[in-house]
Amino acid sequence: MSPKSASAMPSPRIFLIYKGRGINSWHEDIQSGFRQLGCEVKASSLRSNHLIERISQVRTKTRLLENDAVCRRIAASLREFGPDLILVLNFPGLPEQAHSMFREATDGRTPIVGWLCDRFDRFPPALRPLFDGVYNFDTAASDLLMDIYQGTSCKLRILPLAANPDKYRYAPIHARSRIAALAFAGNCTPSRNEIFERYRKIGGGLETFGPHSTSWLRPWRNRRLSSDALSRIYKKYLVSLNVLQEGNTVHGLNLRAFEIPCAGGLGTYPDVPQLAECFIPGEEILVYHSLEELKSLVEEMIADPEKAQAISEAGHRRVMNEHTFAHRAVTIISDWLPKHSVGMLSALK
């Protein structure tokens, strides 16, 4: 039974506002999650994509939500689409002018909600605490958000990131058939490369893939990786390394934490406060407190591929049962459009 027939309600209409396409395309994953539930979705980028918007950006030295020309375009789309919910990605608040335009373009009662997926440690001066709700993926920012929204009716909630199974497709490749090594696939930033070198200095073997991986003997490894390429690496190597990106994640889990097991790989993660809320350490994911411990865990998995297989399978089940973007969409709809949420969660199973 489809979500629409189960609820006997019109499909909820979700309007998504995002900064623009970067290395991560999680705005596409969120759209996919809502559409899987039968929602109608329209997405609009805040990047200046018309001449008048670019002129406004240069003339007023404003961009994104502060550029009135961009906000007028979005307001026109809101007026035409008539959403039940507006979801704004990666902003802790709204400029007053943008908020006023969006309210005026809808019925005035349409919830405007934010969802943060990057580290947030200061409130930009151009923004105001005007969201009806804010989802945040990392508890490190919780106190600051509570201070900012104190005295308002805004609903604050922790909402972890997730995986898109359509992008990180599962394949049942047994651990015995994988390359018995540790691999990292992603953007090899300076802080990450420093960690990689420290790991190698203690005798740990590590293969790296992605931009700035500094593999001069294998230059093809330095290219930007598609989700398909990432999935293949996660399944090809016995263990996939995950490290925190400096300035991005503190207490929470990044996208890779969910994408590795989604594809069927065996993931690792540093011990952070929110980890046990999403995975069972040692049973669904490998958790390390030091690089020395990480090295020991990798050696243990190489020596015992059956245990590695059991952990990777358990991690995959956990993601598919609780941590897809469709699950996050169910949470958001239940919070803001509860009459539309009937039957949605069961439709995912």
Side-chain angles (χ1 to χ4, degrees):
M1 182 179 292
S2 70
K4 186 173 181 179
S5 60
S7 62
M9 292 287 296
S11 297
R13 300 167 71 83
I14 312 298
F15 194 98
L16 199 72
I17 300 173
Y18 64 99
K19 291 182 180 180
R21 185 178 178 88
I23 291 178
N24 292 324
S25 56
W26 75 303
H27 63 91
E28 296 174 356
D29 300 328
I30 295 169
Q31 293 178 62
S32 176
F34 280 115
R35 290 192 175 107
Q36 188 178 336
L37 301 178
C39 300
E40 294 184 46
V41 183
K42 184 176 179 62
S44 187
S45 168
L46 289 168
R47 301 293 182 189
S48 299
N49 58 13
H50 297 298
L51 179 60
I52 191 170
E53 294 174 5
R54 296 190 183 100
I55 292 173
S56 174
Q57 179 174 317
V58 172
R59 182 176 57 81
T60 63
K61 297 181 180 180
T62 58
R63 55 193 296 272
L64 305 175
L65 284 168
E66 297 174 51
N67 186 337
D68 284 353
V70 170
C71 289
R72 281 194 295 271
R73 166 175 50 88
I74 293 175
S77 294
L78 286 169
R79 197 172 292 110
E80 179 183 0
F81 185 64
D84 299 299
L85 174 71
I86 302 169
L87 185 62
V88 184
L89 303 183
N90 254 3
F91 288 91
L94 291 170
E96 290 184 1
Q97 182 69 6
H99 179 261
S100 177
M101 287 186 187
F102 299 166
R103 286 287 191 217
E104 193 174 310
T106 57
D107 59 8
R109 297 187 299 274
T110 301
I112 306 177
V113 179
W115 189 4
L116 297 168
C117 80
D118 282 326
R119 184 178 178 184
F120 164 63
D121 54 15
R122 69 179 185 86
F123 195 72
L127 304 184
R128 298 290 180 269
L130 295 170
F131 279 131
D132 297 304
V134 177
Y135 294 105
N136 174 34
F137 88 116
D138 195 321
T139 57
S142 294
D143 288 344
L144 180 54
L145 283 170
M146 285 191 287
D147 287 344
I148 290 167
Y149 279 92
Q150 186 176 12
T152 74
S153 59
C154 177
K155 300 175 183 177
L156 301 176
R157 179 170 179 173
I158 295 297
L159 189 64
L161 300 177
N164 182 350
D166 291 334
K167 281 188 176 180
Y168 295 88
R169 295 185 180 277
Y170 175 72
I173 302 173
H174 197 280
R176 289 191 305 269
S177 302
R178 302 182 188 186
I179 297 174
L182 176 68
F184 175 85
N187 188 15
C188 299
T189 61
S191 62
R192 285 172 173 167
N193 274 320
E194 182 182 340
I195 294 172
F196 302 159
E197 287 308 305
R198 285 196 283 119
Y199 183 73
R200 291 182 176 118
K201 283 181 179 179
I202 63 172
L206 174 64
E207 299 289 331
T208 57
F209 302 82
H212 315 297
S213 66
T214 64
S215 179
W216 63 272
L217 288 174
R218 302 180 181 90
W220 58 88
R221 288 191 177 185
N222 297 328
R223 69 184 187 279
R224 180 173 171 175
L225 301 168
S226 66
S227 55
D228 284 341
L230 290 168
S231 295
R232 288 194 296 270
I233 294 168
Y234 297 154
K235 291 186 280 275
K236 182 177 181 180
Y237 285 83
L238 181 63
V239 185
S240 291
L241 176 62
N242 199 347
V243 294
L244 299 182
Q245 171 64 3
E246 189 175 88
N248 181 289
T249 309
V250 182
H251 295 166
L253 277 69
N254 59 22
L255 288 164
R256 188 178 288 102
F258 303 100
E259 292 166 354
I260 292 170
C262 182
L266 174 55
T268 64
Y269 209 79
D271 187 26
V272 296
Q274 291 175 243
L275 178 63
E277 298 172 9
C278 296
F279 295 100
I280 301 175
E283 295 184 20
E284 298 171 332
I285 192 170
L286 298 178
V287 183
Y288 62 94
H289 301 79
S290 67
L291 294 181
E292 289 77 12
E293 183 179 14
L294 172 64
K295 181 173 177 287
S296 295
L297 287 170
V298 173
E299 291 169 348
E300 180 185 354
M301 295 301 104
I302 292 173
D304 190 353
E306 295 299 329
K307 183 174 183 179
Q309 181 68 18
I311 296 173
S312 64
E313 288 178 354
H316 176 73
R317 286 194 299 270
R318 186 67 177 265
V319 168
M320 296 306 294
N321 289 336
E322 298 181 21
H323 300 312
T324 70
F325 276 102
H327 288 98
R328 302 297 181 255
V330 168
T331 297
I332 294 170
I333 292 172
S334 298
D335 286 346
W336 298 98
L337 307 171
K339 66 181 181 181
H340 289 281
S341 65
V342 178
M344 282 189 168
L345 188 57
S346 61
L348 297 179
K349 300 178 180 179

